[in-house]
Amino acid sequence: EKAGFEHFMIKEIHEQPKAVHDTINSVVKDGAIDLSEVGLTEEQIKNISQIYIVACGSAYHVGVACQYVFEDLAEIPVRVELASEFRYRKMVLDPNGLVIIVSQSGETADSLAALRLAKKKGVKTLGIVNVVGSSIAREADNVFYTLAGPEIAVATTKAYSTQLIAGYCLAVQFAKVRGSIDDTQYAHLIDEMQQLPDKIAKILEDKERIQWFAAKQANAGDIFFIGRGIDYAISLEGSLKMKEISYIHSEAYAAGELKHGTISLIEDGTLVIGVLTQSELYEKTVSNMVECKSRGAYLMGLTTYGNYNIEDTVSFTVYIPKTDEHFATSLAVIPLQLMGYYVSVAKGLDVDKPRNLAKSVTVE
Ligand code: F6R
């Protein structure tokens, strides 16, 4: 059932082009996004004055990435909340808000409790859920199903990738309905989204190069992932993949925040992975990487084809294809999933069932 792959995780990593394609095609029809199955009317979309994205773990990281997309395209304020915090904080919720709960399993205890709390407070809820008929899917007012198929490996890959797509589709359609993007931008964004599966497949073709680099990092004590904006969201997920399956301590830092304390941890040889997919923030992050390098860090850069001057600063570079920058997370996460996976394999660990972790967290 691993279809010739050594682990479920690497099999599921390779299933991402299809999972992403299927999820896009479940809502994109004749060049337009159709949310009628999700059940949101244009009237409702126009009336949303605040979005709350609530989730745990990788699903929370989807929220962090999508916050930038919603705010930039649809111009709706967004708060991203950890479900385990949201549910205990006495939050004042906007009555015209929309609470989006993101969950692969649809059974995560804190996410389910957050959903129930939002409903009790009379705020509209929408679940982005993978498992059909799960508790969150049943109880949310509206559901956007991701079509990742069953995910077996504890560390999420394809479900995460499809959750991003659900977030993009909502953001792009909200932007269209609310008039914050024009028809040309709308068509462009949908076209860029539809190209993501092929670009993900292209990145996967280069996996041996990442495997080679990952194997050399197996003895690393600490790894830092840094980036700004959407690149910070990508860093969060890259760091989580690394620690959960490779048992290497890692941190994700908003690049500009490093010098407020954490840079003191950079020593000779510490691996710092800089994520640079956002052109407006590129130079700023490069200068933070230079700061790390001057304190002894060993640098890897993850950036878009064309940014070749990164090689003046870093020792190892992974390039990803160009896309609309709102969607860069979908591409940049792939090499980071592979990094986590291959470090774990190089260390001989139980990749699919890392210690202390469960696939579905139904305890609080
Ligand atoms: C990490 C991972 C977890 C889940 C989290 C939420 O690889 O899989 O962080 O993302 O436990 O799970 P769901 O999406 O089922 O609510």
Side-chain angles (χ1 to χ4, degrees), residues 9 54-62 101-109 111-112 128-131 136 151 153-157 159-160 163 237 240-241 244-245 354 357-361:
M9 184 177 174
V54 187
C56 302
S58 295
Y60 169 79
H61 299 157
V62 167
I101 309 277
V102 188
S103 177
Q104 187 284 126
S105 62
E107 301 296 346
T108 300
S111 304
L112 180 58
I128 295 179
V129 182
N130 196 47
V131 176
I136 293 172
E151 195 178 59
V154 164
T156 183
T157 54
Y160 167 90
Q163 289 164 350
E237 181 60 8
L240 182 61
K241 290 279 92 74
E244 66 181 331
I245 53 174
L357 293 171
K359 182 66 186 160
S360 174
V361 183

